[in-house]
């Protein structure tokens, strides 16, 4: 019998309305007891871990990551991605389907799960494609994908343009009891925009991506969701109008959840003037006003969860050869000539996020936008519900997936120390307060950063 006593920490478990000084006993990979500090005394053959001053929370869950495996080992692999996840405090991550081959068949799903088991790190939940090859035409075999281990469906990165295809997918996923996560983009309106349409796009001389490209597709898809009664999830919401549409759809009975990324609630479009392609993503960073609206929606509970949208890229995918690889503070992006603007537009979208997500999210707590329990809801309990997992809680008998956070640890984002294979981040050099220091999966310590 393997006994571990996590002693003296502040336990935050919103699923059970717990927030206070408790000790947590783990037995053979399960939560055996959560008791007031000092009650669990004189236990034989127990390993005691003193966590005074730390937070003990249900294992964090990221509902939206790209691990690039199979297919893109120069960017990330399942082992490196899961180690990065554990270092960021995540016990479970949902890996999107835009791999090569696409995760649209049970064999690829099984490959991903086998690789994850070999890693002995954070847990992987495969996200199945909605359509074969992400082409938006022929649906996957939804039941077969669930049987293989998928727990969410998404063509993320590519919108499902055909409303009839999406409508049929929603009918089937409703029947099976699972959700569809939607990348909301009307490509006729986004027009391959490189950054948010506005002053920054004009100053850089690159094409702009309008707010309406997101919100108009949100409008269409939520109407389909209301009509079908299916569960839908809006990925990486970024605009004020999208938030209003989500509010309205809920009033009309839609089963809709949504997520926000740390880069969208931390940075605005001006970051592209400093970080160049390392601040290029889809949807793009929006206006300062949109960022403020995201903060209000986080505070008011409109946004259900925080997702990293971890999108690792090798340097060549982000490089602009005419101007050098990267930019940074003190080296602002100049106005681009035509050829450089073309290079910017064709650079890959996305930033890494697994190792910075929690630290950035904790700034919402320190700015008094949300309480710690709300943070745990957004980063554990609610993602567990989306993925239909029996997780997000420290209840007796639950699997012992636990994240330990040092809320006072001040640290600097140093990409060269990331466990991810990629370094594409606009947060290099940023000082943050709060970090995961211990990550436990099924009662096993998979990351220990207390001495780091």
């Amino acid at each position: 019998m393997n006994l571990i006593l996590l002693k003296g920490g502040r336990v935050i478990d919103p699923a059970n309305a717990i927030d206070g000084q408790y000790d947590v006993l783990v037995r053979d990979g399960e939560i055996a007891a959560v008791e007031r500090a000092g009650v669990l005394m004189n236990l034989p053959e127990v390993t005691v871990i003193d966590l005074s001053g730390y937070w003990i929370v249900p294992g964090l869950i990221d509902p939206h990551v790209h691990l690039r495996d199979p297919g893109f080992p120069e960017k990330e692999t399942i082992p490196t991605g899961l180690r990065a996840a554990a270092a960021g405090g995540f016990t479970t991550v949902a890996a999107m389907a835009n791999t090569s081959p696409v995760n649209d068949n049970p064999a690829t799903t099984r490959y991903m799960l086998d690789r994850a088991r070999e890693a002995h790190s954070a847990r992987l939940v495969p996200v199945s494609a909605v359509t074969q090859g992400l082409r938006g035409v022929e649906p996957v075999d939804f039941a077969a994908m669930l049987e293989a281990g998928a727990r969410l469906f998404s063509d993320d990165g590519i919108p499902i343009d055909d409303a009839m295809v999406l409508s049929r997918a929603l009918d089937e996923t409703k029947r099976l009891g699972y959700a569809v996560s939607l990348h909301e983009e009307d490509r006729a309106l986004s027009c391959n925009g490189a950054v948010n349409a506005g002053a920054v796009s004009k100053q850089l001389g690159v094409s702009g991506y309008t707010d309406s490209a997101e919100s108009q597709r949100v409008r269409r898809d939520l109407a389909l969701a209301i009509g079908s009664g299916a569960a839908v999830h809006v990925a990486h919401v970024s605009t004020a109008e999208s938030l209003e549409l989500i509010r309205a759809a809920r009033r009309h009975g839609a089963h809709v959840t949504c997520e926000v990324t740390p880069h969208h609630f931390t940075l605005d479009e001006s970051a592209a003037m400093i970080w160049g392609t390392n601040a290029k993503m889809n949807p793009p960073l929006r206006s300062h006003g949109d960022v403020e609206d995201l903060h209000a929606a986080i505070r008011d509970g409109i946004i259900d969860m925080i997702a990293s949208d971890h999108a690792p890229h090798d340097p060549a995918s982000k490089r602009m050869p005419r101007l050098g690889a990267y930019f940074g503070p003190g080296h602002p992006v100049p106005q681009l000539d035509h050829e450089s603007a073309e290079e910017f537009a064709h650079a890959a979208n996305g930033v890494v996020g697994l190792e910075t997500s929690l630290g950035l999210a904790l700034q919402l707590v320190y700015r008094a936008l949300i309480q710690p329990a709300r943070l745990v809801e957004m980063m554990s309990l609610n993602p567990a519900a989306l993925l239909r997992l029996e997780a997000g809680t420290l209840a007796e008998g639950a699997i012992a997936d636990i994240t330990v956070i040092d809320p006072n640890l001040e640290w600097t984002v140093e990409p060269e120390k990331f466990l991810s294979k990629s370094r594409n981040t606009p947060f290099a050099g940023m000082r943050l307060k709060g970090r995961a220091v211990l990550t436990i999966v099924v009662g096993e310590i998979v990351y220990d950063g207390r001495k780091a």
Side-chain angles (χ1 to χ4, degrees), residues 333-387:
V333 181
Q335 184 169 17
L336 306 180
D337 59 32
H338 177 73
E339 290 185 43
S340 296
E342 287 291 309
E343 289 176 359
F344 192 107
H346 286 97
N349 288 312
V351 302
V352 289
L354 283 169
E355 293 168 83
T356 55
S357 185
L358 175 60
L360 293 164
L362 281 164
Q363 308 319 300
L364 300 172
V365 174
Y366 292 119
R367 294 179 58 186
L369 281 171
I370 57 174
Q371 294 298 312
R374 167 80 170 127
L375 181 74
V376 176
E377 286 182 356
M378 296 182 76
M379 298 189 74
S380 183
L381 183 59
N382 293 346
L386 172 69
L387 299 171

Side-chain angles (χ1 to χ4, degrees), residues 3 23 38 60 96 116 147 162 167-168 173 180 197 207 210 215 217 234 254 302 356-357 361:
L3 283 174
D23 296 339
L60 303 184
M96 290 292 160
E147 185 177 355
D162 190 319
S167 181
R168 290 171 178 165
T173 54
V180 175
S207 54
T210 64
S215 60
R217 185 52 59 87
V234 178
I302 302 302
T356 55
S357 185

Side-chain angles (χ1 to χ4, degrees), residues 130 142 152-153 165-182 220-234 249-250 252-257 386 388:
V130 176
F142 296 99
L152 183 68
F153 295 92
V165 170
L166 178 57
S167 181
R168 290 171 178 165
L170 293 178
D171 288 342
E172 184 65 5
T173 54
K174 178 190 176 184
R175 184 182 70 81
L176 294 167
Y178 287 81
V180 175
S181 176
L182 296 167
R220 186 203 76 172
D221 290 351
L222 292 186
L224 293 176
I226 292 169
S228 68
V232 298
H233 178 73
V234 178
R250 287 176 177 164
H252 287 86
H255 300 290
V256 56
T257 56
L386 172 69
R388 311 305 194 250

Side-chain angles (χ1 to χ4, degrees), residues 62 64-68 75-76 80-81 84 90 261-263 267 277-281 307-314 318 326 349-357 360 413-416 418-428:
D62 193 329
H64 187 161
V65 307
H66 301 269
L67 296 186
R68 311 300 191 200
K75 300 176 186 290
E76 194 78 280
T80 61
F90 293 100
T261 73
H263 42 276
L267 303 173
T277 56
N278 272 349
K280 180 177 183 284
M281 64 279 295
S308 71
D309 193 6
H310 177 74
H313 286 295
D314 58 295
K318 283 287 192 180
Y326 299 115
N349 288 312
V351 302
V352 289
L354 283 169
E355 293 168 83
T356 55
S357 185
L360 293 164
V413 177
E414 299 175 279
E416 64 275 12
F418 285 170
L419 298 187
S420 170
K421 290 189 75 171
S422 293
R423 306 284 180 264
N424 49 301
T425 177
F427 298 112

Side-chain angles (χ1 to χ4, degrees), residues 9 59 77 218 249 300:
T77 65
V218 169
D300 297 342

Side-chain angles (χ1 to χ4, degrees), residues 24-215:
V24 179
L25 181 65
V26 175
R27 178 190 296 119
D28 295 335
E30 292 187 353
I31 304 295
V34 178
E35 298 285 356
R36 286 286 182 184
V39 171
L40 299 169
M41 300 283 288
N42 303 317
L43 298 172
E45 300 182 7
V46 64
T47 299
V48 178
I49 302 177
D50 185 357
L51 296 178
S52 300
Y54 295 158
W55 296 352
I56 304 171
V57 307
L60 303 184
I61 300 171
D62 193 329
H64 187 161
V65 307
H66 301 269
L67 296 186
R68 311 300 191 200
D69 187 356
F72 306 97
E74 72 280 9
K75 300 176 186 290
E76 194 78 280
T77 65
I78 285 172
T80 61
L82 294 183
R83 286 194 288 271
F90 293 100
T91 58
T92 302
V93 298
M96 290 292 160
N98 59 341
T99 49
S100 182
V102 171
N103 185 26
D104 58 9
N105 63 87
T108 301
T109 303
R110 289 192 290 267
Y111 162 85
M112 295 169 71
L113 289 170
D114 287 344
R115 288 276 281 167
R117 280 188 287 269
E118 293 167 1
H120 299 291
S121 189
R123 191 192 321 277
L124 182 150
V125 173
V127 177
S128 167
V130 176
T131 64
Q132 295 287 343
L134 307 177
R135 291 186 291 271
V137 178
E138 183 182 355
V140 300
D141 185 333
F142 296 99
M145 294 303 288
L146 290 171
E147 185 177 355
R151 289 294 176 269
L152 183 68
F153 295 92
S154 182
D155 277 4
D156 183 68
I158 303 176
I160 300 173
D161 292 326
D162 190 319
M164 187 59 70
V165 170
L166 178 57
S167 181
R168 290 171 178 165
L170 293 178
D171 288 342
E172 184 65 5
T173 54
K174 178 190 176 184
R175 184 182 70 81
L176 294 167
Y178 287 81
V180 175
S181 176
L182 296 167
H183 173 94
E184 301 288 31
E185 177 187 356
D186 185 326
R187 289 184 282 192
L189 297 175
S190 61
C191 301
N192 297 313
V195 297
N196 188 50
V200 171
S201 65
K202 292 177 182 177
Q203 189 165 348
L204 286 176
V206 300
S207 54
Y209 182 137
T210 64
D211 286 11
S212 61
E214 175 180 296
S215 60

